[in-house]
Amino acid sequence: MTRLITQDRLLDAPRNAALRALPDGHLLAYLLTCDWCVSIYTGTLAAMGGAWADWWPWSWVPVLALAFSYVTGWFASREGE
């Protein structure tokens, strides 16, 4: 999901439209293209989805969000190997 949002050609048009709407160097532009930042957002959504589906308690959401983000970063760091 993180790669799809930050780099994949499939979402080029909406990503570029959002970036064009923001001034150069805007913090939000960075947060939309930063792999680690987006991995936190997607990890949080996945953790919240699992809690909503009763797969784990809501109290686990913060830890699972960080764990999902870490795993995403680990996979991204090995993408070119």
Side-chain angles (χ1 to χ4, degrees):
M1 233 17 219
T2 297
R3 180 169 166 70
L4 181 69
I5 294 168
T6 61
Q7 298 176 17
D8 203 83
R9 288 183 58 200
L10 185 63
L11 292 181
D12 268 351
R15 181 177 50 253
N16 290 338
L19 293 175
R20 277 193 304 272
L22 297 168
D24 287 341
H26 195 275
L27 177 63
L28 190 55
Y30 173 74
L31 295 176
L32 287 172
T33 57
C34 166
D35 289 332
W36 282 107
C37 302
V38 174
S39 74
I40 289 287
Y41 315 146
T42 57
T44 300
L45 289 175
M48 290 174 66
W52 181 76
D54 284 331
W55 293 345
W56 45 74
W58 281 95
S59 60
W60 292 10
V61 168
V63 172
L64 288 174
L66 293 173
F68 293 155
S69 174
Y70 179 81
V71 169
T72 299
W74 186 81
F75 280 123
S77 71
R78 278 137 185 80
E79 188 174 7
E81 292 180 7

